[in-house]
Amino acid sequence: MKTTELLDAHEIRYEVLTGAIVIAPPADQLHQEIQLDILMQARRVGFPATMDASISFPGGEDEFRPDVAVYDDHTVLPRAGDRPGERVLLAVEVVSPSSRLHDEVAKRELYARLGVPAYLIVQQTGDLWTLHHTPAGAGYTRLIEGPMGDFVPVPSLPWTLRTWTLDRYMNG
């Protein structure tokens, strides 16, 4: 049995980034509430979205599992298996202290290289969100930051993401 199959069988959260398995701690209630809020916003306007689902990109061997991924509105998601990374319009990570290095540096560079149009980082321990967009090489050329409670203008989406609902989780 492959290592990833063993991790899946025991429902351990992990990703494969640049060939290395990165194990994440279980998401706490706050983390899950923020994920669900973003997922539901996408689904309310008719865009497919997933939480903690495996995503692969053509020609790559890594396995990404963003906290939330929003896909273009014509994407048909499989019930199981990898979702199409090339259809992702927005990848979201809710950052905790244990995932900070991977989420804020490694994944940002990898998503930019793979052409993911926008990458949103939500600070679980603070009150700030950061949106990276317009990928070029190993980085994004645009950055927008704001406090919880503001709207996030994601250029790759035809609607503005609300964070006022996220703010209640941060200050609750």
Side-chain angles (χ1 to χ4, degrees), residues 18-30:
T18 61
I21 295 174
V22 178
I23 296 177
D28 65 16
Q29 184 67 30
L30 173 61

Side-chain angles (χ1 to χ4, degrees), residues 57-58 64 85-91 107-119 132-140 156:
F57 290 85
F64 296 87
E86 70 276 9
R87 310 284 307 246
V88 173
L89 298 176
L90 171 66
K107 287 184 194 175
R108 184 187 72 219
E109 292 173 4
L110 290 168
Y111 284 135
R113 274 193 203 118
L114 293 166
V116 173
Y119 180 49
H132 300 274
H133 67 92
T134 314
Y140 286 92
S156 55

Side-chain angles (χ1 to χ4, degrees), residues 79-148:
R79 290 183 188 267
D82 292 344
R83 278 59 174 194
E86 70 276 9
R87 310 284 307 246
V88 173
L89 298 176
L90 171 66
V92 180
E93 292 294 346
V94 180
V95 178
S96 61
S98 65
S99 67
R100 183 175 215 132
L101 182 62
H102 284 103
D103 292 345
E104 292 183 2
V105 179
K107 287 184 194 175
R108 184 187 72 219
E109 292 173 4
L110 290 168
Y111 284 135
R113 274 193 203 118
L114 293 166
V116 173
Y119 180 49
L120 177 64
I121 297 171
V122 177
Q123 297 294 332
Q124 182 175 330
T125 57
D127 61 354
L128 184 69
W129 53 262
T130 305
L131 177 72
H132 300 274
H133 67 92
T134 314
Y140 286 92
T141 60
R142 304 272 188 244
L143 170 79
I144 305 169
E145 292 181 318
M148 291 303 189

